[in-house]
Amino acid sequence: HGFSRVQIEKDGEIVGDSGFVGPNQITNLGFLNYLVKLLGGSSGSVQVGYVALGTGAAPASNATTLPGEIMSSTQRGAVTFANVNSNTAQFTATFASSDSFLTAAANLSNIGLFNTTNTDDTLFAGNTYASSSCDTNQNVNVTYQIRFS
């Protein structure tokens, strides 16, 4: 299961916090390309490297993209990976307002994990949360955990 947290920050203060929301939706191709092929050492396997934000709903199981993704091909956030414990992979990233990831205020409501910044890349997993308004002068901090039980 995946759980995500999105925090909006302005001038060092958290002004919006989704809290940990989940479980998420791992897509069919997410299971195949990111888990099954990777476990088998098969060609075509990929690993999570980037996160994107969007204004849409949770992705369907057959989705390949994040609904309402706001990122251009160069704006997905590179993630930092950490093992939280023996059954949790954690991905974190920050979208800085100075990087102009938003060109206008947006109501953010979903998040997704990808292998690359290429917008043709297949979505591994995604999640939705209560919509939060984010302005161009605000940063967004994200945490996405995949927990195995």
Side-chain angles (χ1 to χ4, degrees):
H1 297 288
F3 296 85
S4 60
R5 181 178 201 168
V6 177
Q7 295 179 316
I8 298 174
E9 173 189 309
K10 182 177 181 184
D11 300 326
E13 303 272 334
I14 301 297
V15 296
D17 188 345
S18 69
F20 273 101
V21 178
N24 70 334
Q25 174 68 57
I26 297 177
T27 66
N28 297 338
L29 289 175
F31 277 115
L32 176 64
N33 295 331
Y34 291 80
L35 295 174
V36 174
K37 286 183 178 180
L38 188 63
L39 289 171
S42 175
S43 69
S45 67
V46 293
Q47 295 176 331
V48 171
Y50 293 87
V51 63
L53 300 171
T55 59
S61 61
N62 65 346
T64 58
T65 61
L66 183 67
E69 182 177 344
I70 61 170
M71 321 316 277
S72 72
S73 63
T74 59
Q75 292 176 317
R76 286 183 181 161
V79 296
T80 300
F81 169 79
N83 284 29
V84 174
N85 55 43
S86 64
N87 65 348
T88 302
Q90 179 170 282
F91 306 94
T92 57
T94 296
F95 295 93
S97 61
S98 59
D99 292 335
S100 301
F101 72 96
L102 285 178
T103 57
N107 290 317
L108 304 178
S109 58
N110 64 7
I111 183 172
L113 296 175
F114 293 87
N115 173 250
T116 68
T117 60
N118 182 342
T119 53
D120 292 332
D121 190 20
T122 300
L123 175 69
F124 165 59
N127 208 350
T128 189
Y129 49 90
S131 178
S132 295
S133 179
C134 185
D135 209 344
T136 58
N137 65 343
Q138 294 175 314
N139 303 323
V140 177
N141 304 312
V142 299
T143 304
Y144 204 120
Q145 293 183 342
I146 302 295
R147 303 174 189 168
F148 297 92
S149 55

